Amino acid sequence: MKFVYASKDMAVSESLKTRVEKKLSKLERYFREEPEATIRFKVQKGARNIVEITVNAAGVILRAEESSNDMYLSIDHAVDKLESQIRRHRTKLEKRIRTAELEPVIEAPVYEEQNYDIVRTKKFAVKPMSVEDAITQMELLGHDFFLFLNEESETMNVLYRRHDGTYGLLQPDI
């Protein structure tokens, strides 16, 4: 597994890296290709230690964030969340990981308005997937919306969670 570390308001010690690598190494058995894990450490006021772990393997993105008074405890809980996500969606994930092929990366252009403060920009690979796969990916990320390339219509779609717990799908009218 490849590891990328980032931190805010703290230095990442070797013992933290060792703990993360030891905990995440047990997840490697779920992946056929070598996954990449991005680990972000933050310390907030009130001694809150936050760890955010994002694992990218064969186009499947898993994400967990935890906070506690102890960074090591936050790491343990975040890895447990990731493993729980994998177990919960194991059948769908195995199918997607096994059938994943190298596909061209489609990146949407990033526009910045001068009147607005954009505090964070994310870039991610967009690959064709079914609506069901998009729902699974959105659930794994813990987001309320998800942008994807619909493999049926070959158009960009936005999947979102409605207030009543159902899903909505935004499609362009072409």
Side-chain angles (χ1 to χ4, degrees):
M1 187 174 287
K2 298 176 190 171
F3 299 96
V4 178
Y5 297 97
S7 66
K8 185 174 182 181
D9 301 329
M10 67 172 284
V12 181
S13 68
E14 284 302 316
S15 62
L16 279 176
K17 288 180 182 180
T18 303
R19 179 68 160 257
V20 167
E21 291 170 13
K22 179 182 176 189
K23 289 290 190 171
L24 285 177
S25 66
K26 69 181 181 179
L27 301 181
E28 285 183 319
R29 69 176 183 249
Y30 294 110
F31 303 106
R32 190 174 249 178
E33 296 177 17
E34 184 179 26
E36 180 177 302
T38 303
I39 303 95
R40 288 184 177 83
F41 298 100
K42 295 183 238 175
V43 177
Q44 286 185 339
K45 293 179 185 176
R48 295 303 292 170
N49 295 293
I50 301 168
V51 65
E52 176 187 309
I53 303 173
T54 305
V55 178
N56 187 349
V60 175
I61 300 171
L62 302 168
R63 183 182 174 279
E65 182 176 329
E66 275 297 319
S67 67
S68 69
N69 292 334
D70 179 24
M71 189 62 81
Y72 294 96
L73 189 60
S74 296
I75 292 168
D76 293 348
H77 288 312
V79 172
D80 290 344
K81 264 189 181 179
L82 288 172
E83 191 167 21
S84 174
Q85 288 175 6
I86 291 171
R87 278 197 310 266
R88 195 174 11 179
H89 299 287
R90 186 174 189 166
T91 310
K92 290 180 185 177
L93 288 174
E94 285 175 350
K95 179 182 172 191
R96 286 188 59 200
I97 290 170
R98 286 193 181 120
T99 60
E101 298 176 3
L102 293 177
E103 298 179 19
V105 175
I106 301 170
E107 291 188 24
V110 178
Y111 299 101
E112 290 191 31
E113 296 282 332
Q114 290 180 331
N115 300 4
Y116 301 102
D117 256 353
I118 296 178
V119 295
R120 186 170 182 184
T121 301
K122 286 189 176 183
K123 291 183 181 182
F124 59 96
V126 179
K127 65 178 218 166
M129 64 176 66
S130 67
V131 174
E132 292 78 24
D133 287 343
I135 290 172
T136 301
Q137 188 66 60
M138 185 176 76
E139 293 294 327
L140 287 170
L141 291 170
H143 291 171
D144 292 326
F145 67 93
F146 186 72
L147 175 70
F148 70 103
L149 181 60
N150 190 325
E151 67 185 7
E152 291 175 19
S153 64
E154 296 181 356
T155 60
M156 296 301 291
N157 290 187
V158 175
L159 178 70
Y160 64 95
R161 187 183 341 271
R162 297 168 45 94
H163 294 295
D164 62 0
T166 59
Y167 298 98
L169 185 64
L170 299 176
Q171 298 177 316
D173 187 18
I174 298 175

